[in-house]
């Protein structure tokens, strides 16, 4: 089981929107040095929605090669087409990813039975550990706990990234899922409490800018050290909030640019962080001793 702080890695880009492969390598090295437990490549934060299929697969392959087995690599391979999700998941397996993260199909709004059949079909088609990803605020599709528990009985469906921030739902999944099925937070603001309830880690936006602190936070929370975990989280809470001043990954890419780790590139229809919000985030980065 993959546990701990799992960074939802940005895909660095040049000002013209091309992928910056050199900076991608450096970001991977940064996380290896800072103690991140796993890297999620080409998820929502990695701008999966605007990378073409070849770029998507190339980023996964590049991250796997750079990590070289030192930590786990989870490849984002979800799609609103089941056949496309299978294609991406096959490519991730061929690239050597340790697991795949599959977001619920977006826009077409499947039924709960449709969700079950979608994930079952992908799991049966590709023999690699697969993590469900529920984020209805972005997909307009909410995978209910009962559907998750049905899917948890499929051998290579090994966990869920639950990004609703609903701790009652998370506790229900933790208490009722089979042994070996991981429940991860996908919401930095509530992640510490989910882990203290028995969750297994956090797939994090904040970890992009504060990887060492997030790794320490996750270890404390998973170990059940409530006082220490909450104290660490209180220091990071301004980041949890301000990295969502605009749609993710707009603020986090600007923050990484301010930290000198990436260029300012981002792809349309996303645009750089609005001028009037930059001072807010800059003050938060300074408060957290990141600039």
């Amino acid at each position: 089981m993959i546990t701990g702080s799992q960074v939802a890695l940005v895909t660095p880009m040049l000002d013209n929107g091309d992928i910056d492969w050199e900076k991608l390598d450096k970001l991977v090295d940064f996380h290896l040095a800072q103690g991140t437990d796993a890297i999620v490549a080409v998820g929502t934060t990695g701008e999966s929605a605007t990378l073409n299929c070849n770029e998507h697969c190339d980023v996964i392959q590049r991250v796997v090669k750079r990590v070289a087995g030192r930590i786990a690599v989870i490849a984002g391979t979800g799609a609103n087409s089941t056949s496309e999700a299978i294609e991406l998941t096959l490519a991730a397996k061929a690239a050597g990813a340790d697991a795949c993260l599959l977001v619920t199909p977006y826009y077409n709004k499947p039924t709960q039975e449709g969700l079950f059949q979608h994930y079952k079909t992908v799991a049966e088609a590709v023999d690699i550990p697969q993590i469900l990803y529920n984020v209805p605020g972005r997909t307009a599709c909410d995978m209910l706990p009962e559907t998750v528990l049905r899917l948890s009985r499929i051998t290579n469906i090994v966990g869920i990234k639950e990004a609703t921030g609903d701790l009652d739902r998370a506790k229900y999944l933790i208490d009722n899922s089979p042994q070996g099925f991981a429940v991860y937070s996908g919401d930095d603001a509530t992640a510490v409490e989910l882990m203290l309830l028995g969750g297994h880690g956090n797939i994090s936006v904040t970890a992009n800018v504060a990887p060492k602190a997030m790794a320490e936070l996750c270890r404390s929370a998973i170990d059940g050290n409530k006082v220490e975990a909450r104290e660490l989280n209180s220091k990071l809470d301004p980041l949890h909030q301000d990295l969502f001043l605009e749609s993710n990954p707009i603020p986090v890419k600007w923050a990484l640019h301010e930290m000198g780790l990436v260029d300012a590139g981002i792809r349309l229809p996303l645009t750089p962080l609005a001028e009037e919000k930059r001072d807010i985030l800059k003050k938060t980065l300074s408060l957290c001793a990141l600039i």
Side-chain angles (χ1 to χ4, degrees):
M1 182 186 289
I2 301 168
T3 61
S5 179
Q6 302 158 58
V7 63
L9 193 70
V10 305
T11 300
M13 296 174 182
L14 302 170
D15 288 340
N16 65 3
D18 288 347
I19 295 172
D20 189 335
W21 299 103
E22 182 181 351
K23 291 287 174 57
L24 179 60
D25 287 344
K26 289 182 178 179
L27 282 183
V28 171
D29 293 345
F30 175 59
H31 285 284
L32 291 169
Q34 293 288 311
T36 295
D37 296 297
I39 292 176
V40 178
V42 205
T44 303
T45 310
E47 293 177 80
S48 57
T50 51
L51 267 60
N52 66 42
C53 190
N54 287 337
E55 290 173 325
H56 194 124
C57 296
D58 288 347
V59 170
I60 293 168
Q61 192 171 49
R62 184 81 167 220
V63 172
V64 169
K65 182 178 179 181
R66 192 72 177 186
V67 168
R70 286 172 284 181
I71 59 176
V73 176
I74 303 167
T77 60
N80 62 351
S81 159
T82 304
S83 60
E84 183 180 347
I86 290 171
E87 181 182 355
L88 291 171
T89 305
L90 283 167
K93 181 182 178 182
D98 296 283
C100 291
L101 177 70
L102 293 102
V103 71
T104 54
Y106 44 87
Y107 187 76
N108 45 24
K109 300 174 77 171
T111 64
Q112 295 302 304
E113 182 61 25
L115 287 171
F116 176 79
Q117 294 297 336
H118 168 80
Y119 281 110
K120 179 175 179 286
T121 300
V122 179
E124 290 174 346
V126 192
D127 184 18
I128 188 172
Q130 296 176 24
I131 300 167
L132 313 171
Y133 177 14
N134 189 43
V135 58
R138 295 192 77 115
T139 63
C141 175
D142 188 7
M143 183 161 50
L144 299 179
E146 294 74 20
T147 305
V148 175
L149 294 179
R150 285 181 72 194
L151 289 165
S152 71
R153 301 184 189 104
I154 297 172
T155 303
N156 60 323
I157 295 181
V158 299
I160 181 168
K161 176 184 177 182
E162 178 53 62
T164 60
D166 184 338
L167 293 172
D168 290 335
R169 177 185 291 209
K171 185 69 164 63
Y172 179 82
L173 291 173
I174 291 164
D175 290 346
N176 291 281
S177 56
Q179 186 175 5
F181 185 84
V183 178
Y184 305 113
S185 175
D187 176 58
D188 280 311
T190 58
V192 68
E193 297 304 324
L194 184 147
M195 288 182 282
L196 289 171
L197 289 171
H200 302 90
N202 180 30
I203 298 177
S204 172
V205 175
T206 299
N208 277 281
V209 298
K212 185 176 181 181
M214 280 302 304
E216 292 171 354
L217 165 63
C218 289
R219 280 192 288 272
S220 293
I222 291 170
D223 289 344
N225 298 325
K226 293 183 179 182
V227 174
E228 181 180 62
R230 286 171 175 153
E231 183 179 345
L232 289 167
N233 190 62
S234 69
K235 297 175 182 177
L236 291 172
D237 191 61
L239 284 171
H240 301 335
Q241 305 303 321
D242 289 349
L243 289 176
F244 292 89
L245 285 168
E246 291 183 354
S247 297
N248 179 46
I250 291 172
V252 71
K253 290 197 91 172
W254 186 86
L256 287 166
H257 174 61
E258 190 69 20
M259 292 167 66
L261 294 172
V262 302
D263 289 347
I266 195 165
R267 284 193 181 175
L268 290 170
L270 300 183
T271 52
L273 187 67
E275 291 278 354
E276 65 270 16
K277 295 176 182 175
R278 294 181 184 183
D279 281 346
I280 298 171
L281 187 49
K282 189 171 182 178
K283 287 176 183 176
T284 299
L285 291 172
S286 179
L287 176 68
C288 295
L290 295 172
I291 56 172

